[in-house]
Amino acid sequence: MIETHAHLLDEKFDLDRDTTIARARTAGVDAIIEVGCEPANWQKTIAFAVAHKNISCVLGIHPQETIAAEPAVLDTLKNLCTHQKVVGVGETGLDYHFETSPRDMQKEVFIHHMDIARSLKKPLVIHCREAYRDLHDILTGQCSKPGSFFGVIHCFSGTLFDARELTDMGFLLGIDGPVTYPSARNLKEVVTAIPLESLVIETDCPYLPPQEYRGQRNEPSYLPLIAREIAHLKNIPAETVTAATTIAARTLFAL
Ligand SMILES: [Zn+2]
């Protein structure tokens, strides 16, 4: 399995980061993608990936942090993203739930990330919360620019309609712990209907633990629980889910 979205540099792992990585390995997680989504953490994120053979990273500016996105910061981002351990650009996107940054600024910075991803031919890791209409409009608008872009809608939380639109454009959907929540009817419907080939699995740890660990810290070793729920919903063996999502992740991030 490949953990496609982790925040292992979060302080919640300060006391047991190495054993957490070891537990993930034991659980069958062969590779981890660490997400550095604040400019202050970019260098540290690259160093962390360099220090671990099975860890790669993506770098970007979280939509809740876009206030920090001055032109020089975006130039730095582009330079750092050329590093061979950086396998994608993000997380970036739109978050209208908290709106700690103005929407126009979020859109502008998101488009900058798209330009960087396109020029480096690396995938985008997109964060989208309560903004699926605007996300769709921006992605469609960007299609007219030369060069292609591709990526994953991390921690997908939209409707089946949104899921179909985005996967029709070639984007993958990242499926996380919430798929295991009994109340997540909408997400379960999405996972049931969307072809397995369009899904990757991720924990977004330390956030969003699967149902059995709710209220606790999340970690990459819980990834099999997400695969198991997808298998249950699609009525297929868990091994089929882990094999297909691993191929999808390896292809997307060129691992
Ligand atoms: Zn994240």
Side-chain angles (χ1 to χ4, degrees):
M1 274 165 283
I2 297 179
E3 154 74 289
T4 57
H5 198 112
H7 298 276
L8 287 171
L9 288 177
D10 189 282
E11 60 185 12
K12 293 194 180 70
F13 294 107
D14 279 353
L15 297 177
D16 66 346
R17 193 164 287 112
D18 288 343
T19 50
T20 301
I21 295 167
R23 270 196 303 279
R25 270 217 166 139
T26 308
V29 177
D30 307 306
I32 295 173
I33 295 175
E34 172 73 10
V35 179
C37 51
E38 279 174 64
N41 292 340
W42 290 341
Q43 293 284 4
K44 215 167 88 179
T45 305
I46 293 178
F48 179 59
V50 167
H52 296 85
K53 199 169 150 279
N54 61 337
I55 297 180
S56 307
C57 65
V58 302
L59 302 181
I61 301 168
H62 196 283
Q64 285 164 248
E65 306 283 339
T66 46
I67 216 90
E70 288 142 29
V73 176
L74 291 160
D75 283 345
T76 304
L77 175 63
K78 187 172 180 180
N79 284 334
L80 293 175
C81 283
T82 61
H83 194 286
Q84 58 159 349
K85 274 283 190 173
V86 182
V87 295
V89 181
E91 58 189 285
T92 176
L94 306 171
D95 193 321
Y96 296 171
H97 182 74
F98 292 114
E99 258 186 280
T100 44
S101 306
R103 292 183 183 193
D104 281 350
M105 194 183 288
Q106 292 189 33
K107 290 179 188 174
E108 193 185 313
V109 172
F110 178 36
I111 289 168
H112 274 293
H113 281 73
M114 295 185 70
D115 290 337
I116 292 172
R118 189 175 359 227
S119 71
L120 300 178
K121 297 187 169 56
K122 292 187 180 185
L124 280 164
V125 174
I126 297 172
H127 169 107
C128 182
R129 197 160 177 204
E130 294 169 22
Y132 279 89
R133 273 305 87 208
D134 280 4
L135 173 66
H136 176 262
D137 291 349
I138 289 175
L139 293 176
T140 316
Q142 290 293 309
C143 287
S144 58
K145 287 195 191 173
S148 60
F149 55 90
F150 54 106
V152 56
I153 316 300
H154 130 75
C155 198
F156 182 77
S157 61
T159 63
L160 181 54
F161 180 82
D162 299 323
R164 289 211 165 105
E165 272 188 340
L166 291 161
T167 53
D168 282 350
M169 294 176 84
F171 283 90
L172 301 184
L173 309 181
I175 306 300
D176 303 57
V179 76
T180 65
Y181 302 169
S183 61
R185 259 171 272 127
N186 184 52
L187 183 57
K188 288 179 196 285
E189 181 193 23
V190 166
V191 167
T192 306
I194 295 295
L196 184 57
E197 293 67 35
S198 293
L199 307 180
V200 292
I201 51 177
E202 49 175 63
T203 66
D204 201 19
C205 65
Y207 317 106
L208 301 173
Q211 181 67 16
E212 315 180 35
Y213 296 99
R214 267 180 112 166
Q216 300 172 45
R217 183 189 72 177
N218 194 9
E219 60 171 72
S221 69
Y222 301 160
L223 201 59
L225 299 173
I226 296 163
R228 193 177 74 187
E229 180 63 19
I230 296 173
H232 170 71
L233 291 167
K234 289 187 164 302
N235 200 17
I236 54 177
E239 298 73 47
T240 309
V241 174
T242 54
T245 53
T246 299
I247 291 171
R250 285 202 188 283
T251 308
L252 179 67
F253 293 107
L255 296 175

mmCIF file of all heavy atoms in Angstrom, residues 131-179:
data_model
loop_
_atom_site.group_PDB
_atom_site.id
_atom_site.type_symbol
_atom_site.label_atom_id
_atom_site.label_comp_id
_atom_site.label_asym_id
_atom_site.label_seq_id
_atom_site.Cartn_x
_atom_site.Cartn_y
_atom_site.Cartn_z
ATOM 1 N N ALA A 131 -16.236 23.924 -1.760
ATOM 2 C CA ALA A 131 -15.894 24.824 -2.864
ATOM 3 C C ALA A 131 -15.841 24.069 -4.194
ATOM 4 O O ALA A 131 -15.098 24.450 -5.091
ATOM 5 C CB ALA A 131 -14.556 25.494 -2.577
ATOM 6 N N TYR A 132 -16.602 22.993 -4.296
ATOM 7 C CA TYR A 132 -16.473 22.140 -5.486
ATOM 8 C C TYR A 132 -16.907 22.824 -6.787
ATOM 9 O O TYR A 132 -16.348 22.537 -7.846
ATOM 10 C CB TYR A 132 -17.179 20.794 -5.271
ATOM 11 C CG TYR A 132 -16.301 19.855 -4.466
ATOM 12 C CD1 TYR A 132 -16.341 19.843 -3.080
ATOM 13 C CD2 TYR A 132 -15.351 19.050 -5.097
ATOM 14 C CE1 TYR A 132 -15.492 19.018 -2.343
ATOM 15 C CE2 TYR A 132 -14.500 18.230 -4.369
ATOM 16 C CZ TYR A 132 -14.579 18.219 -2.998
ATOM 17 O OH TYR A 132 -13.725 17.422 -2.286
ATOM 18 N N ARG A 133 -17.882 23.741 -6.710
ATOM 19 C CA ARG A 133 -18.285 24.455 -7.950
ATOM 20 C C ARG A 133 -17.116 25.291 -8.457
ATOM 21 O O ARG A 133 -16.759 25.260 -9.627
ATOM 22 C CB ARG A 133 -19.483 25.374 -7.688
ATOM 23 C CG ARG A 133 -20.844 24.755 -7.805
ATOM 24 C CD ARG A 133 -21.132 24.062 -9.130
ATOM 25 N NE ARG A 133 -20.672 22.688 -9.090
ATOM 26 C CZ ARG A 133 -20.270 21.971 -10.140
ATOM 27 N NH1 ARG A 133 -20.261 22.482 -11.332
ATOM 28 N NH2 ARG A 133 -19.870 20.742 -10.008
ATOM 29 N N ASP A 134 -16.537 26.087 -7.560
ATOM 30 C CA ASP A 134 -15.431 26.948 -7.979
ATOM 31 C C ASP A 134 -14.220 26.119 -8.408
ATOM 32 O O ASP A 134 -13.521 26.477 -9.347
ATOM 33 C CB ASP A 134 -15.031 27.911 -6.851
ATOM 34 C CG ASP A 134 -15.984 29.104 -6.773
ATOM 35 O OD1 ASP A 134 -16.973 29.118 -7.537
ATOM 36 O OD2 ASP A 134 -15.733 30.009 -5.960
ATOM 37 N N LEU A 135 -13.989 24.993 -7.741
ATOM 38 C CA LEU A 135 -12.873 24.122 -8.131
ATOM 39 C C LEU A 135 -13.065 23.661 -9.572
ATOM 40 O O LEU A 135 -12.152 23.753 -10.401
ATOM 41 C CB LEU A 135 -12.781 22.903 -7.207
ATOM 42 C CG LEU A 135 -11.752 21.845 -7.637
ATOM 43 C CD1 LEU A 135 -10.330 22.394 -7.545
ATOM 44 C CD2 LEU A 135 -11.883 20.569 -6.805
ATOM 45 N N HIS A 136 -14.262 23.198 -9.854
ATOM 46 C CA HIS A 136 -14.553 22.718 -11.206
ATOM 47 C C HIS A 136 -14.350 23.835 -12.230
ATOM 48 O O HIS A 136 -13.737 23.631 -13.278
ATOM 49 C CB HIS A 136 -15.986 22.175 -11.273
ATOM 50 C CG HIS A 136 -16.381 21.759 -12.643
ATOM 51 N ND1 HIS A 136 -17.116 22.578 -13.473
ATOM 52 C CD2 HIS A 136 -16.110 20.645 -13.348
ATOM 53 C CE1 HIS A 136 -17.280 21.960 -14.640
ATOM 54 N NE2 HIS A 136 -16.687 20.792 -14.583
ATOM 55 N N ASP A 137 -14.851 25.046 -11.909
ATOM 56 C CA ASP A 137 -14.732 26.158 -12.857
ATOM 57 C C ASP A 137 -13.267 26.520 -13.098
ATOM 58 O O ASP A 137 -12.863 26.795 -14.232
ATOM 59 C CB ASP A 137 -15.500 27.377 -12.342
ATOM 60 C CG ASP A 137 -17.005 27.134 -12.369
ATOM 61 O OD1 ASP A 137 -17.438 26.127 -12.981
ATOM 62 O OD2 ASP A 137 -17.744 27.934 -11.776
ATOM 63 N N ILE A 138 -12.456 26.513 -12.046
ATOM 64 C CA ILE A 138 -11.042 26.853 -12.212
ATOM 65 C C ILE A 138 -10.338 25.784 -13.052
ATOM 66 O O ILE A 138 -9.605 26.100 -13.991
ATOM 67 C CB ILE A 138 -10.343 27.019 -10.839
ATOM 68 C CG1 ILE A 138 -10.834 28.299 -10.173
ATOM 69 C CG2 ILE A 138 -8.816 27.041 -10.994
ATOM 70 C CD1 ILE A 138 -10.308 28.524 -8.772
ATOM 71 N N LEU A 139 -10.586 24.524 -12.747
ATOM 72 C CA LEU A 139 -9.930 23.446 -13.499
ATOM 73 C C LEU A 139 -10.333 23.509 -14.972
ATOM 74 O O LEU A 139 -9.495 23.370 -15.862
ATOM 75 C CB LEU A 139 -10.289 22.082 -12.904
ATOM 76 C CG LEU A 139 -9.737 21.795 -11.499
ATOM 77 C CD1 LEU A 139 -10.255 20.449 -10.991
ATOM 78 C CD2 LEU A 139 -8.220 21.816 -11.478
ATOM 79 N N THR A 140 -11.595 23.752 -15.217
ATOM 80 C CA THR A 140 -12.062 23.834 -16.609
ATOM 81 C C THR A 140 -11.407 25.020 -17.303
ATOM 82 O O THR A 140 -10.939 24.917 -18.434
ATOM 83 C CB THR A 140 -13.594 23.985 -16.655
ATOM 84 O OG1 THR A 140 -14.167 23.079 -15.722
ATOM 85 C CG2 THR A 140 -14.138 23.681 -18.026
ATOM 86 N N GLY A 141 -11.362 26.164 -16.613
ATOM 87 C CA GLY A 141 -10.758 27.361 -17.189
ATOM 88 C C GLY A 141 -9.293 27.146 -17.520
ATOM 89 O O GLY A 141 -8.799 27.606 -18.556
ATOM 90 N N GLN A 142 -8.601 26.409 -16.674
ATOM 91 C CA GLN A 142 -7.162 26.163 -16.868
ATOM 92 C C GLN A 142 -6.890 25.229 -18.039
ATOM 93 O O GLN A 142 -5.773 25.170 -18.541
ATOM 94 C CB GLN A 142 -6.563 25.568 -15.594
ATOM 95 C CG GLN A 142 -6.491 26.546 -14.442
ATOM 96 C CD GLN A 142 -5.509 27.665 -14.712
ATOM 97 O OE1 GLN A 142 -4.368 27.433 -15.065
ATOM 98 N NE2 GLN A 142 -5.973 28.894 -14.596
ATOM 99 N N CYS A 143 -7.908 24.497 -18.456
ATOM 100 C CA CYS A 143 -7.720 23.546 -19.569
ATOM 101 C C CYS A 143 -7.339 24.257 -20.861
ATOM 102 O O CYS A 143 -6.771 23.655 -21.759
ATOM 103 C CB CYS A 143 -8.999 22.733 -19.796
ATOM 104 S SG CYS A 143 -9.263 21.510 -18.523
ATOM 105 N N SER A 144 -7.666 25.547 -20.960
ATOM 106 C CA SER A 144 -7.370 26.257 -22.207
ATOM 107 C C SER A 144 -5.892 26.637 -22.294
ATOM 108 O O SER A 144 -5.386 26.964 -23.363
ATOM 109 C CB SER A 144 -8.239 27.505 -22.308
ATOM 110 O OG SER A 144 -7.987 28.315 -21.190
ATOM 111 N N LYS A 145 -5.181 26.594 -21.160
ATOM 112 C CA LYS A 145 -3.746 26.911 -21.208
ATOM 113 C C LYS A 145 -2.970 25.731 -21.800
ATOM 114 O O LYS A 145 -3.372 24.587 -21.622
ATOM 115 C CB LYS A 145 -3.218 27.172 -19.790
ATOM 116 C CG LYS A 145 -3.651 28.484 -19.175
ATOM 117 C CD LYS A 145 -2.779 28.765 -17.955
ATOM 118 C CE LYS A 145 -3.296 29.909 -17.115
ATOM 119 N NZ LYS A 145 -2.536 30.049 -15.855
ATOM 120 N N PRO A 146 -1.858 26.011 -22.468
ATOM 121 C CA PRO A 146 -1.089 24.898 -23.028
ATOM 122 C C PRO A 146 -0.454 24.031 -21.931
ATOM 123 O O PRO A 146 -0.141 24.526 -20.853
ATOM 124 C CB PRO A 146 -0.007 25.593 -23.869
ATOM 125 C CG PRO A 146 0.043 26.993 -23.397
ATOM 126 C CD PRO A 146 -1.269 27.324 -22.767
ATOM 127 N N GLY A 147 -0.293 22.764 -22.215
ATOM 128 C CA GLY A 147 0.301 21.843 -21.238
ATOM 129 C C GLY A 147 -0.792 21.226 -20.391
ATOM 130 O O GLY A 147 -1.802 21.853 -20.096
ATOM 131 N N SER A 148 -0.595 19.993 -20.004
ATOM 132 C CA SER A 148 -1.645 19.322 -19.242
ATOM 133 C C SER A 148 -1.337 19.373 -17.755
ATOM 134 O O SER A 148 -0.222 19.675 -17.339
ATOM 135 C CB SER A 148 -1.763 17.874 -19.698
ATOM 136 O OG SER A 148 -0.541 17.222 -19.489
ATOM 137 N N PHE A 149 -2.339 19.125 -16.943
ATOM 138 C CA PHE A 149 -2.136 19.015 -15.516
ATOM 139 C C PHE A 149 -2.968 17.834 -15.030
ATOM 140 O O PHE A 149 -3.931 17.430 -15.673
ATOM 141 C CB PHE A 149 -2.516 20.304 -14.790
ATOM 142 C CG PHE A 149 -3.903 20.769 -15.071
ATOM 143 C CD1 PHE A 149 -4.961 20.345 -14.278
ATOM 144 C CD2 PHE A 149 -4.179 21.621 -16.140
ATOM 145 C CE1 PHE A 149 -6.249 20.757 -14.531
ATOM 146 C CE2 PHE A 149 -5.470 22.030 -16.404
ATOM 147 C CZ PHE A 149 -6.513 21.602 -15.599
ATOM 148 N N PHE A 150 -2.553 17.274 -13.925
ATOM 149 C CA PHE A 150 -3.223 16.089 -13.411
ATOM 150 C C PHE A 150 -3.040 16.060 -11.901
ATOM 151 O O PHE A 150 -2.282 16.872 -11.363
ATOM 152 C CB PHE A 150 -2.664 14.821 -14.070
ATOM 153 C CG PHE A 150 -1.157 14.686 -13.971
ATOM 154 C CD1 PHE A 150 -0.582 13.767 -13.102
ATOM 155 C CD2 PHE A 150 -0.312 15.487 -14.724
ATOM 156 C CE1 PHE A 150 0.805 13.646 -12.991
ATOM 157 C CE2 PHE A 150 1.079 15.374 -14.617
ATOM 158 C CZ PHE A 150 1.630 14.456 -13.754
ATOM 159 N N GLY A 151 -3.715 15.158 -11.238
ATOM 160 C CA GLY A 151 -3.540 15.128 -9.804
ATOM 161 C C GLY A 151 -4.626 14.386 -9.069
ATOM 162 O O GLY A 151 -5.373 13.605 -9.642
ATOM 163 N N VAL A 152 -4.704 14.671 -7.763
ATOM 164 C CA VAL A 152 -5.643 13.979 -6.888
ATOM 165 C C VAL A 152 -6.423 15.015 -6.086
ATOM 166 O O VAL A 152 -5.874 16.039 -5.677
ATOM 167 C CB VAL A 152 -4.885 13.001 -5.944
ATOM 168 C CG1 VAL A 152 -3.807 13.713 -5.134
ATOM 169 C CG2 VAL A 152 -5.836 12.260 -5.016
ATOM 170 N N ILE A 153 -7.714 14.746 -5.919
ATOM 171 C CA ILE A 153 -8.512 15.559 -4.996
ATOM 172 C C ILE A 153 -8.393 14.850 -3.655
ATOM 173 O O ILE A 153 -9.033 13.827 -3.409
ATOM 174 C CB ILE A 153 -9.996 15.648 -5.419
ATOM 175 C CG1 ILE A 153 -10.141 15.894 -6.932
ATOM 176 C CG2 ILE A 153 -10.705 16.710 -4.572
ATOM 177 C CD1 ILE A 153 -9.519 17.151 -7.460
ATOM 178 N N HIS A 154 -7.511 15.375 -2.829
ATOM 179 C CA HIS A 154 -7.197 14.731 -1.555
ATOM 180 C C HIS A 154 -8.395 14.832 -0.614
ATOM 181 O O HIS A 154 -9.113 15.830 -0.624
ATOM 182 C CB HIS A 154 -5.922 15.388 -1.016
ATOM 183 C CG HIS A 154 -5.977 15.846 0.381
ATOM 184 N ND1 HIS A 154 -5.927 14.973 1.435
ATOM 185 C CD2 HIS A 154 -6.076 17.087 0.911
ATOM 186 C CE1 HIS A 154 -5.986 15.671 2.553
ATOM 187 N NE2 HIS A 154 -6.086 16.938 2.269
ATOM 188 N N CYS A 155 -8.603 13.769 0.162
ATOM 189 C CA CYS A 155 -9.704 13.723 1.141
ATOM 190 C C CYS A 155 -11.021 14.164 0.510
ATOM 191 O O CYS A 155 -11.682 15.082 0.988
ATOM 192 C CB CYS A 155 -9.369 14.584 2.357
ATOM 193 S SG CYS A 155 -10.396 14.187 3.778
ATOM 194 N N PHE A 156 -11.389 13.481 -0.534
ATOM 195 C CA PHE A 156 -12.570 13.898 -1.294
ATOM 196 C C PHE A 156 -13.806 13.963 -0.387
ATOM 197 O O PHE A 156 -14.079 13.038 0.377
ATOM 198 C CB PHE A 156 -12.823 12.931 -2.453
ATOM 199 C CG PHE A 156 -14.002 13.350 -3.289
ATOM 200 C CD1 PHE A 156 -13.873 14.384 -4.201
ATOM 201 C CD2 PHE A 156 -15.238 12.747 -3.122
ATOM 202 C CE1 PHE A 156 -14.971 14.810 -4.945
ATOM 203 C CE2 PHE A 156 -16.336 13.161 -3.861
ATOM 204 C CZ PHE A 156 -16.195 14.195 -4.775
ATOM 205 N N SER A 157 -14.562 15.062 -0.521
ATOM 206 C CA SER A 157 -15.747 15.237 0.330
ATOM 207 C C SER A 157 -16.924 15.797 -0.456
ATOM 208 O O SER A 157 -17.875 16.316 0.119
ATOM 209 C CB SER A 157 -15.410 16.163 1.503
ATOM 210 O OG SER A 157 -15.017 17.444 1.007
ATOM 211 N N GLY A 158 -16.842 15.728 -1.793
ATOM 212 C CA GLY A 158 -17.923 16.282 -2.610
ATOM 213 C C GLY A 158 -19.039 15.269 -2.844
ATOM 214 O O GLY A 158 -19.081 14.202 -2.226
ATOM 215 N N THR A 159 -19.921 15.630 -3.750
ATOM 216 C CA THR A 159 -21.046 14.760 -4.095
ATOM 217 C C THR A 159 -20.619 13.774 -5.178
ATOM 218 O O THR A 159 -19.538 13.903 -5.769
ATOM 219 C CB THR A 159 -22.212 15.586 -4.643
ATOM 220 O OG1 THR A 159 -21.753 16.217 -5.860
ATOM 221 C CG2 THR A 159 -22.658 16.655 -3.657
ATOM 222 N N LEU A 160 -21.518 12.836 -5.483
ATOM 223 C CA LEU A 160 -21.244 11.902 -6.577
ATOM 224 C C LEU A 160 -21.141 12.658 -7.900
ATOM 225 O O LEU A 160 -20.323 12.323 -8.758
ATOM 226 C CB LEU A 160 -22.351 10.831 -6.629
ATOM 227 C CG LEU A 160 -22.204 9.764 -7.709
ATOM 228 C CD1 LEU A 160 -20.848 9.069 -7.648
ATOM 229 C CD2 LEU A 160 -23.335 8.730 -7.585
ATOM 230 N N PHE A 161 -21.952 13.698 -8.036
ATOM 231 C CA PHE A 161 -21.877 14.534 -9.234
ATOM 232 C C PHE A 161 -20.478 15.160 -9.362
ATOM 233 O O PHE A 161 -19.851 15.097 -10.427
ATOM 234 C CB PHE A 161 -22.961 15.628 -9.162
ATOM 235 C CG PHE A 161 -22.986 16.544 -10.349
ATOM 236 C CD1 PHE A 161 -23.628 16.171 -11.526
ATOM 237 C CD2 PHE A 161 -22.352 17.786 -10.297
ATOM 238 C CE1 PHE A 161 -23.644 17.022 -12.630
ATOM 239 C CE2 PHE A 161 -22.356 18.635 -11.399
ATOM 240 C CZ PHE A 161 -23.014 18.248 -12.562
ATOM 241 N N ASP A 162 -19.984 15.728 -8.278
ATOM 242 C CA ASP A 162 -18.625 16.316 -8.288
ATOM 243 C C ASP A 162 -17.594 15.236 -8.621
ATOM 244 O O ASP A 162 -16.669 15.461 -9.411
ATOM 245 C CB ASP A 162 -18.256 16.888 -6.906
ATOM 246 C CG ASP A 162 -19.185 18.000 -6.455
ATOM 247 O OD1 ASP A 162 -19.613 18.794 -7.305
ATOM 248 O OD2 ASP A 162 -19.461 18.072 -5.234
ATOM 249 N N ALA A 163 -17.748 14.070 -8.004
ATOM 250 C CA ALA A 163 -16.788 12.973 -8.200
ATOM 251 C C ALA A 163 -16.739 12.570 -9.668
ATOM 252 O O ALA A 163 -15.655 12.353 -10.226
ATOM 253 C CB ALA A 163 -17.176 11.776 -7.337
ATOM 254 N N ARG A 164 -17.902 12.502 -10.289
ATOM 255 C CA ARG A 164 -17.940 12.104 -11.710
ATOM 256 C C ARG A 164 -17.282 13.164 -12.579
ATOM 257 O O ARG A 164 -16.505 12.840 -13.481
ATOM 258 C CB ARG A 164 -19.393 11.873 -12.134
ATOM 259 C CG ARG A 164 -19.987 10.614 -11.508
ATOM 260 C CD ARG A 164 -21.032 9.958 -12.427
ATOM 261 N NE ARG A 164 -21.317 8.605 -11.979
ATOM 262 C CZ ARG A 164 -22.438 8.241 -11.334
ATOM 263 N NH1 ARG A 164 -23.378 9.139 -11.092
ATOM 264 N NH2 ARG A 164 -22.610 6.991 -10.965
ATOM 265 N N GLU A 165 -17.601 14.422 -12.313
ATOM 266 C CA GLU A 165 -17.008 15.511 -13.108
ATOM 267 C C GLU A 165 -15.484 15.467 -13.012
ATOM 268 O O GLU A 165 -14.784 15.591 -14.015
ATOM 269 C CB GLU A 165 -17.478 16.865 -12.564
ATOM 270 C CG GLU A 165 -18.758 17.359 -13.159
ATOM 271 C CD GLU A 165 -19.058 18.795 -12.716
ATOM 272 O OE1 GLU A 165 -18.512 19.267 -11.691
ATOM 273 O OE2 GLU A 165 -19.850 19.428 -13.404
ATOM 274 N N LEU A 166 -14.979 15.301 -11.799
ATOM 275 C CA LEU A 166 -13.525 15.369 -11.585
ATOM 276 C C LEU A 166 -12.818 14.139 -12.135
ATOM 277 O O LEU A 166 -11.741 14.254 -12.729
ATOM 278 C CB LEU A 166 -13.237 15.560 -10.096
ATOM 279 C CG LEU A 166 -13.658 16.948 -9.572
ATOM 280 C CD1 LEU A 166 -13.803 16.952 -8.059
ATOM 281 C CD2 LEU A 166 -12.657 18.017 -10.012
ATOM 282 N N THR A 167 -13.401 12.967 -11.963
ATOM 283 C CA THR A 167 -12.739 11.769 -12.498
ATOM 284 C C THR A 167 -12.845 11.742 -14.021
ATOM 285 O O THR A 167 -11.945 11.239 -14.681
ATOM 286 C CB THR A 167 -13.308 10.471 -11.878
ATOM 287 O OG1 THR A 167 -14.724 10.444 -12.031
ATOM 288 C CG2 THR A 167 -12.972 10.378 -10.400
ATOM 289 N N ASP A 168 -13.893 12.322 -14.569
ATOM 290 C CA ASP A 168 -13.988 12.438 -16.037
ATOM 291 C C ASP A 168 -12.862 13.321 -16.577
ATOM 292 O O ASP A 168 -12.404 13.147 -17.701
ATOM 293 C CB ASP A 168 -15.339 13.027 -16.461
ATOM 294 C CG ASP A 168 -16.456 11.994 -16.401
ATOM 295 O OD1 ASP A 168 -16.146 10.795 -16.221
ATOM 296 O OD2 ASP A 168 -17.629 12.387 -16.523
ATOM 297 N N MET A 169 -12.417 14.288 -15.762
ATOM 298 C CA MET A 169 -11.295 15.147 -16.178
ATOM 299 C C MET A 169 -9.962 14.437 -15.955
ATOM 300 O O MET A 169 -8.907 14.987 -16.277
ATOM 301 C CB MET A 169 -11.286 16.448 -15.363
ATOM 302 C CG MET A 169 -12.474 17.345 -15.618
ATOM 303 S SD MET A 169 -12.427 18.800 -14.523
ATOM 304 C CE MET A 169 -11.342 19.860 -15.452
ATOM 305 N N GLY A 170 -9.975 13.250 -15.379
ATOM 306 C CA GLY A 170 -8.745 12.486 -15.168
ATOM 307 C C GLY A 170 -8.176 12.581 -13.766
ATOM 308 O O GLY A 170 -7.127 12.002 -13.482
ATOM 309 N N PHE A 171 -8.852 13.306 -12.886
ATOM 310 C CA PHE A 171 -8.347 13.410 -11.510
ATOM 311 C C PHE A 171 -8.693 12.161 -10.713
ATOM 312 O O PHE A 171 -9.719 11.523 -10.937
ATOM 313 C CB PHE A 171 -8.923 14.648 -10.815
ATOM 314 C CG PHE A 171 -8.251 15.910 -11.253
ATOM 315 C CD1 PHE A 171 -8.732 16.627 -12.340
ATOM 316 C CD2 PHE A 171 -7.098 16.346 -10.625
ATOM 317 C CE1 PHE A 171 -8.086 17.768 -12.789
ATOM 318 C CE2 PHE A 171 -6.448 17.484 -11.061
ATOM 319 C CZ PHE A 171 -6.943 18.194 -12.139
ATOM 320 N N LEU A 172 -7.799 11.813 -9.786
ATOM 321 C CA LEU A 172 -8.074 10.722 -8.863
ATOM 322 C C LEU A 172 -8.718 11.313 -7.599
ATOM 323 O O LEU A 172 -8.618 12.513 -7.348
ATOM 324 C CB LEU A 172 -6.780 9.998 -8.480
ATOM 325 C CG LEU A 172 -5.962 9.383 -9.618
ATOM 326 C CD1 LEU A 172 -4.770 8.628 -9.071
ATOM 327 C CD2 LEU A 172 -6.814 8.461 -10.470
ATOM 328 N N LEU A 173 -9.364 10.446 -6.825
ATOM 329 C CA LEU A 173 -9.954 10.881 -5.563
ATOM 330 C C LEU A 173 -9.207 10.212 -4.418
ATOM 331 O O LEU A 173 -9.020 8.986 -4.435
ATOM 332 C CB LEU A 173 -11.438 10.500 -5.493
ATOM 333 C CG LEU A 173 -12.318 10.905 -6.679
ATOM 334 C CD1 LEU A 173 -13.768 10.468 -6.426
ATOM 335 C CD2 LEU A 173 -12.260 12.415 -6.926
ATOM 336 N N GLY A 174 -8.791 10.984 -3.435
ATOM 337 C CA GLY A 174 -8.151 10.442 -2.243
ATOM 338 C C GLY A 174 -9.228 10.085 -1.231
ATOM 339 O O GLY A 174 -10.062 10.928 -0.888
ATOM 340 N N ILE A 175 -9.201 8.829 -0.750
ATOM 341 C CA ILE A 175 -10.211 8.362 0.201
ATOM 342 C C ILE A 175 -9.553 8.157 1.568
ATOM 343 O O ILE A 175 -8.521 7.478 1.670
ATOM 344 C CB ILE A 175 -10.867 7.054 -0.291
ATOM 345 C CG1 ILE A 175 -11.414 7.235 -1.721
ATOM 346 C CG2 ILE A 175 -11.975 6.604 0.670
ATOM 347 C CD1 ILE A 175 -12.461 8.314 -1.895
ATOM 348 N N ASP A 176 -10.193 8.727 2.594
ATOM 349 C CA ASP A 176 -9.611 8.774 3.931
ATOM 350 C C ASP A 176 -10.520 8.099 4.963
ATOM 351 O O ASP A 176 -11.588 7.602 4.632
ATOM 352 C CB ASP A 176 -9.384 10.242 4.344
ATOM 353 C CG ASP A 176 -8.511 10.990 3.360
ATOM 354 O OD1 ASP A 176 -8.879 11.031 2.178
ATOM 355 O OD2 ASP A 176 -7.475 11.523 3.768
ATOM 356 N N GLY A 177 -10.117 8.220 6.216
ATOM 357 C CA GLY A 177 -10.844 7.633 7.340
ATOM 358 C C GLY A 177 -12.349 7.866 7.364
ATOM 359 O O GLY A 177 -13.102 6.965 7.752
ATOM 360 N N PRO A 178 -12.836 9.049 6.984
ATOM 361 C CA PRO A 178 -14.285 9.274 7.043
ATOM 362 C C PRO A 178 -15.127 8.245 6.280
ATOM 363 O O PRO A 178 -16.299 8.062 6.606
ATOM 364 C CB PRO A 178 -14.446 10.678 6.438
ATOM 365 C CG PRO A 178 -13.185 11.370 6.828
ATOM 366 C CD PRO A 178 -12.106 10.303 6.708
ATOM 367 N N VAL A 179 -14.543 7.541 5.311
ATOM 368 C CA VAL A 179 -15.321 6.524 4.591
ATOM 369 C C VAL A 179 -15.778 5.414 5.553
ATOM 370 O O VAL A 179 -16.738 4.701 5.275
ATOM 371 C CB VAL A 179 -14.516 5.946 3.391
ATOM 372 C CG1 VAL A 179 -13.434 4.957 3.841
ATOM 373 C CG2 VAL A 179 -15.446 5.281 2.380
#
